[in-house]
Amino acid sequence: MSKETGSNQKEIREISGFSIEVLIDEVKIRERLVIIADQIYEDYYKKGKNPIFICVLRGAEPTYIWLTQELGRENPKTDRKPVSAHGGHIGLSSYGKSKNSSGRVKLTSRLSVDIEGEDVIIVEDILDSGNTMTKARKKYFFPKKPKSLEIFALLDKVDGRVFPIEAKYVGFKIPNKFVVGFGLDLNETELRNLPWVGVPLLEP
Ligand code: IMP
Ligand code: MG
């Protein structure tokens, strides 16, 4: 359940002294989230399941909001009805101020809801080595005994995988490059707010 990115035309945007190559624009993200919402509706709500979406702070914030809002809309094309999507959050950090995973996963905020016996969908910005999700599942999710546990990752760097973990729902498969925007940051602060995903080429 994913989509390849890729186009031959390069678009570079200049923002606050950064040069960033556009990888996935806003419209594509929106379209893809509509499809993911349709799939989740089929897999859960149509079967009478009411999953709890767990937003992994802070990178997944925009993805979580766009997805859960989309589930609050109807899609007349697919006969999807609006639902009240339940949610919570957990804070995890593995990059810190670096462009590479530290290998350690720091809990920055505890799981905000009780997931025992619940169908859970973790909403994550990106799967790279798989370190964060592998360790988080083992340490913070499985011990809480959810009925089921799946992952939705907006982005998937398939070639970066070190741990054998897959997301049930993937927005876009992307090349093994450092990306920013749509929640993903550089140095914990920069460029998180871009409403699209890009590859930083030049920094100020
Ligand atoms: P993993 O633990 O190697 O799978 O990496 C996943 C975590 O690292 C994600 O939750 C992100 O927060 C962060 N991350 C991975 N790749 C990138 C990137 O290209 N840009 C910004 N953050 C990233
Ligand atoms: Mg993250």
Side-chain angles (χ1 to χ4, degrees):
M1 293 190 186
S2 68
K3 201 174 176 223
E4 301 287 340
T5 53
S7 126
N8 300 329
Q9 272 171 304
K10 270 194 182 180
E11 187 194 341
I12 314 282
R13 293 183 188 162
E14 308 292 334
I15 294 164
S16 302
F18 292 92
S19 287
I20 308 159
E21 183 192 333
V22 179
L23 195 62
I24 311 164
D25 68 32
E26 215 173 327
V27 175
K28 283 210 188 91
I29 298 175
R30 175 74 76 193
E31 287 170 354
R32 187 71 191 136
L33 286 176
V34 171
I35 292 168
I36 302 280
D38 285 346
Q39 290 170 345
I40 290 174
Y41 185 78
E42 284 294 320
D43 294 346
Y44 289 84
Y45 296 96
K46 263 201 156 172
K47 295 179 179 161
K49 299 178 182 174
N50 201 350
I52 301 186
F53 295 86
I54 303 295
C55 176
V56 181
L57 302 176
R58 292 188 50 209
E61 281 172 336
T63 304
Y64 172 88
I65 291 168
W66 279 34
L67 176 71
T68 53
Q69 282 189 342
E70 182 54 40
L71 285 164
R73 268 188 212 113
E74 65 174 338
N75 186 354
K77 287 186 194 154
T78 58
D79 220 18
R80 166 159 54 85
K81 305 277 179 279
V83 296
S84 166
H86 297 179
H89 65 261
I90 189 169
L92 300 172
S93 169
S94 53
Y95 267 37
K97 288 196 187 298
S98 124
K99 277 191 184 172
N100 295 300
S101 175
S102 66
R104 277 170 289 131
V105 178
K106 202 170 98 188
L107 183 73
T108 56
S109 181
R110 281 168 44 191
L111 195 57
S112 68
V113 285
D114 183 11
I115 58 167
E116 188 174 342
E118 304 284 354
D119 292 306
V120 173
I121 301 175
I122 302 175
V123 182
E124 175 62 312
D125 51 5
I126 186 166
L127 262 186
D128 184 5
S129 69
N131 176 54
T132 308
M133 276 301 104
T134 301
K135 290 187 178 155
R137 273 199 320 196
K138 193 168 165 218
K139 210 166 164 193
Y140 306 116
F141 287 89
F142 288 146
K144 305 275 184 197
K145 300 190 172 58
K147 188 169 159 202
S148 70
L149 187 69
E150 299 289 356
I151 299 168
F152 163 43
L154 179 69
L155 307 173
D156 190 352
K157 283 189 204 171
V158 189
D159 295 340
R161 201 74 89 256
V162 176
F163 295 84
I165 187 165
E166 295 306 326
K168 179 165 187 184
Y169 307 98
V170 171
F172 302 89
K173 289 182 180 172
I174 63 165
N176 208 353
K177 290 180 180 172
F178 185 80
V179 292
V180 294
F182 216 79
L184 292 134
D185 67 288
L186 176 67
N187 297 333
E188 287 183 322
T189 45
E190 302 279 8
L191 305 170
R192 230 189 241 292
N193 64 311
L194 303 183
W196 45 274
V197 174
V199 180
L201 304 175
L202 267 179
E203 296 177 26

